[in-house]
Amino acid sequence: MTEPTNAVLPRGVTQEEFAEALEKFRAVLGDANVLVRSEQLVPYNKIMMPVENAAHAPSAALTATTVEQIQEIVKICNAHRIPVYPISTGRNFGYGSAAPVQRGQIILDLKKMNKIIKIDAEMCYALVEPGVTYGQLYNYIQENKLPVMLSFSAPSAIAGPVGNTMDRGVGYTPYGEHFMMQCGMEVVLANGDVYRTGMGGVPGSNTWQIFKWGYGPTLDGMFTQANYGICTKMGFWLMPKPPVFKPFEVIFENEEDIVEIVDLLRPLRMSGTIPNSVVIASTLWEAGSAHLTRAQYVSEPGHTPDSVIRQMQKDTGMGAWNLYAALYGTREQVDVNWKIVTDAFRKLGKGRIVTQEEAGDKQPFKYRAELMSGVPNLQEFGLYNWRGGGGSMWFAPVSEARGSECRKQAALAKRILHKHGLDYVAEFIVAPRDMHHVIDVLYNRTDAEETRRADACFNELLDEFEKEGYAVYRVNTRFQERVARSYGPVKRDVEHAIKRALDPNNVLAPGRCGIDLDSYRKS
């Protein structure tokens, strides 16, 4: 087969050696599953970050369907020193999408490995391959009338549990800490060995998705936000579907209310009175996810003025902060907890409570209620229309669940974003002790000047938050090396020692989460 002359080659690999490796890949996968033409690679090179697509362009893409094929692929990659970047569904929008972390890596696309291997409705767990989506799982559960519910991130239907959990994503149900609900992985290592975590290594075990720990060191977490192996199966726990589900919203008029909101919520979350991950969304987050656009209110460049935001609140009934939570359980449990919750907010003397009966199908209440009840949707993609132009980067620092900390972070982020002419589009996700402060840095990627501002803004956000002792828990591929440095040299030394032991040829996604033997040796 005549090879196209690849404009993009893996780092340190010649055209001739790459052509030889491609022939070996074809022998394993078949011609149709080895993608090298530029038009075939377009879906793997759509990024939302403030750099040219070329900076993250792949040299090829492979689609595998079996573990055995993946074992052969990594052996070929080792023989030719070709870096391979695995993806599950490739829908990690705002964090890098499907593009590789470094230019020239080949994509290993696992979307065709999409078997729902098992759902045990009695023990409430699932075992799936990496290409399974939440939409696919939801349909299976509905068609088979299984009494379980899912937890997923907001743009949920087209994403999947393996990719989201491996990147330590979160959801909006009582099972919203997805990695905590993971139980048992199958991982192909860089040498082709297949490793099963937890009880998975015991022949004939029926507790692989039941007991997380197994015996000896528990290594599941080592494979998340890392590049030590390729996850080919993952188990996770499912929440029993409760007889009563009661979603609600509390609307607050003033930005300063964030202090009292969080301090009121913390004991309710710690006690389990409110069992799910509570969201506190800003006005502009509400506006974007309700499919409003900035152009409907203002035409001038720069950030949206506070006066305009107040007008939006008046027009739509949205608050400065919009709190979403839910209660789950029997009627008796829900009634008792509802009284506790409403008494707490009435005592606070702030906030207007809205129930599902009052909201009906109004957005964004409807999609929030769906997320909290395990019904996938794509409503939150409306955020990308707020400014338009296809630019999005998630900035996601963590803070204590203290109102004063949230106020401090919100003020700092808003000041930096406004300095660069961008909007503060944010939500807090409230756990019992921590807050995920999720900010969508939206910008017009077709505007070169605004793109430069967005890049400078993100760098400044990282710098200024780090000075205050804050760090992000996820970040897009452009900034992964930068964020890895903020966690200190000892952690990085350990991570690279593990990489040298498991992947001495540095072929599995070098650079992912800042782990790259080649650059680390040089430094």
Side-chain angles (χ1 to χ4, degrees), residues 48 287-296 378-391 440 442:
M48 306 178 83
S289 56
H291 289 210
L292 299 178
T293 65
R294 187 175 183 274
Q296 291 173 265
L378 299 175
Q379 178 73 20
E380 200 161 278
F381 280 122
L383 283 170
Y384 294 150
N385 297 322
W386 171 247
R387 291 186 83 96
D440 198 350
L442 298 166

Side-chain angles (χ1 to χ4, degrees), residues 195 198 211-220:
Y195 170 62
F211 182 64
K212 290 171 70 79
W213 316 118
Y215 175 76
T218 301
L219 303 181
D220 302 63

Side-chain angles (χ1 to χ4, degrees), residues 180-244:
M180 289 176 64
M181 300 302 159
Q182 175 274 330
C183 191
M185 295 179 189
E186 178 183 87
V187 181
V188 176
L189 302 176
N191 66 358
D193 286 349
V194 177
Y195 170 62
R196 289 187 169 188
T197 66
M199 305 298 289
V202 179
S205 171
N206 65 356
T207 54
W208 189 23
Q209 273 67 64
I210 300 296
F211 182 64
K212 290 171 70 79
W213 316 118
Y215 175 76
T218 301
L219 303 181
D220 302 63
M222 188 181 81
F223 295 103
T224 65
Q225 292 192 4
N227 51 12
Y228 302 140
I230 301 168
C231 184
T232 51
K233 294 181 183 68
M234 191 186 75
F236 58 100
W237 296 332
L238 300 167
M239 180 175 165
K241 193 169 184 178
V244 176

Side-chain angles (χ1 to χ4, degrees), residues 4 6-11 18 22 35-38 41 56-61 82-83 100 102-107:
N6 291 74
V8 180
L9 286 170
R11 183 172 62 191
F18 190 55
L22 290 175
L35 312 178
V36 294
R37 297 194 306 274
S38 57
L41 299 178
H56 293 271
S59 54
I82 291 176
Q102 293 175 357
R103 176 178 167 86
Q105 295 178 346
I106 63 170
I107 299 287

Side-chain angles (χ1 to χ4, degrees), residues 93-105:
F93 299 121
Y95 285 121
S97 306
V101 66
Q102 293 175 357
R103 176 178 167 86
Q105 295 178 346

